[in-house]
């Protein structure tokens, strides 16, 4: 079933021509999507709208058939979508466990925070010693695992990832993609922006964003 839908969405940065023009896309639960396109094609802009960091200039974004543009962006991002970045965006001086627990506190989750955080970190492949290590002492791949665990802690149905493996070697990239595959099997909808053919190849659907024509096609 469709969890996220973009209906005729356009976006213009102030004083610029349209970056995104009349884009309509839909995303289902249980699937992995790759959004590909050249640098400057508007991929990050598209994710920013889907995560409500910014609102479309026109058109609608529906989550579970409800228009998200009327929703409080903080509430939306702490309940509905998880966001993962190329540079992980973790708090470097806190431990992996503290990062996940803190996010749960901010999201207003009260019950068994530490226990759930441990389970999630274990699920993405960190052992007890690594969980208690500060982020700055973890490898890039381990940091991205923590970022995934952090976003799972809100229990979002949709996970948005901007070049999630852009800073990782091929082997670590493959491990992160395996995590995404198992999350999709559990019913999550994973939407990743990527430059990489290998990453796009693991998606169920690929949408290409074109800079010049500013249209999308399904390939
Ligand atoms: N804050 C901004 N203000 C003005 N223009 C921007 C801003 N952010 C991005 N752009 C422009 O919008 C276009 C799309 O950018 P972006 O979504 O980051 O593309 P991609 O992620 O595909 O590389 C680019 O031409 C970029 O220069
Ligand atoms: Mg980008």
């Amino acid at each position: 079933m469709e969890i996220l839908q973009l209906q005729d969405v356009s976006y213009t940065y102030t004083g610029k021509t349209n970056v995104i023009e009349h884009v309509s896309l839909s995303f289902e639960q249980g699937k992995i999507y790759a959004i590909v396109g050249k640098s400057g094609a508007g991929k990050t802009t598209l994710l920013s709208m889907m995560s409500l960091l910014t609102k479309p200039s026109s058109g609608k974004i529906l989550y579970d058939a409800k228009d998200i543009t009327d929703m409080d962006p903080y509430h939306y991002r702490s309940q509905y979508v998880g966001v993962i970045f190329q540079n992980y965006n973790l708090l470097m001086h806190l431990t992996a466990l503290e990062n996940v627990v803190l996010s749960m506190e901010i999201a207003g989750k009260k019950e068994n925070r530490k226990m759930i955080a441990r389970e999630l970190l274990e699920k993405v492949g960190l052992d007890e010693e690594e969980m208690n290590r500060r982020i700055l002492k973890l490898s890039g791949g381990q940091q991205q695992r923590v970022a995934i665990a952090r976003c799972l802690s809100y229990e979002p149905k949709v996970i948005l990832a901007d070049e999630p493996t852009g800073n990782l070697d091929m082997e670590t990239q493959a491990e992160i993609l395996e995590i995404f595959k198992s999350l999709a099997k559990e019913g999550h909808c994973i939407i990743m922006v990527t430059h990489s053919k290998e990453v796009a190849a693991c998606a169920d659907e690929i949408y290409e964003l074109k800079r010049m024509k500013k249209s999308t096609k399904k390939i």
Side-chain angles (χ1 to χ4, degrees):
M1 95 153 222
E2 280 164 357
I3 183 73
L4 198 62
Q5 271 179 291
L6 275 69
Q7 292 181 345
D8 201 22
V9 167
S10 298
Y11 190 82
T12 315
Y13 286 102
T14 322
K16 286 215 167 192
T17 48
N18 276 2
V19 172
I20 304 285
E21 220 167 38
H22 303 293
V23 167
S24 296
L25 296 171
S26 59
F27 303 94
E28 292 173 23
Q29 283 189 254
K31 281 193 177 179
I32 301 181
Y33 295 85
I35 295 174
V36 299
K38 295 212 170 77
S39 184
K43 305 182 296 298
T44 296
T45 305
L46 202 65
L47 278 199
S48 303
M49 290 189 283
M50 291 196 267
S51 59
L52 217 44
L53 284 168
T54 187
K55 291 184 181 184
S57 308
S58 65
K60 274 188 184 171
I61 301 183
L62 307 178
Y63 186 106
D64 238 347
K66 282 190 285 291
D67 192 344
I68 64 165
T69 49
D70 304 328
M71 263 189 222
D72 171 48
Y74 296 100
H75 177 73
Y76 177 71
R77 277 194 299 282
S78 67
Q79 311 283 332
Y80 294 76
V81 291
V83 189
I84 296 170
F85 303 92
Q86 180 171 358
N87 57 3
Y88 325 124
N89 282 17
L90 299 163
L91 297 167
M92 298 304 273
H93 293 277
L94 298 184
T95 66
L97 199 55
E98 287 164 350
N99 265 273
V100 180
V101 169
L102 182 65
S103 288
M104 292 167 84
E105 278 177 34
I106 294 168
K109 298 235 179 269
K110 295 197 169 60
E111 307 290 312
N112 305 321
R113 285 192 292 244
K114 212 162 175 180
M115 194 191 81
I116 295 167
R118 263 210 185 85
E119 282 172 7
L120 290 172
L121 286 163
E122 203 179 301
K123 177 173 173 170
V124 295
L126 262 72
D127 67 26
E128 189 68 29
E129 188 272 324
E130 290 159 349
M131 285 178 205
N132 288 293
R133 227 191 274 165
R134 291 202 278 166
I135 297 301
L136 46 88
K137 301 209 166 144
L138 293 173
S139 71
Q142 289 166 334
Q143 291 188 36
Q144 196 57 302
R145 289 165 197 271
V146 177
I148 296 171
R150 180 180 58 178
C151 103
L152 292 174
S153 72
Y154 322 138
E155 300 172 59
K157 289 179 185 164
V158 176
I159 295 175
L160 303 170
D162 199 350
E163 300 279 3
T165 62
N167 289 341
L168 303 175
D169 59 68
M170 295 301 274
E171 194 182 331
T172 313
Q173 169 171 297
E175 289 165 10
I176 297 294
L177 293 175
E178 280 309 311
I179 296 175
F180 285 158
K181 282 184 195 163
S182 66
L183 293 175
K185 278 210 186 90
E186 287 173 17
H188 285 95
C189 167
I190 319 269
I191 304 171
M192 353 176 251
V193 158
T194 183
H195 273 110
S196 150
K197 288 206 166 64
E198 287 84 9
V199 174
C202 99
D204 298 294
E205 308 267 8
I206 302 173
Y207 292 126
E208 186 181 7
L209 212 51
K210 297 263 192 190
R211 182 162 45 171
M212 298 314 291
K213 291 185 190 144
K214 300 188 186 97
S215 63
T216 52
K217 73 171 183 194
K218 218 169 172 176
I219 52 179

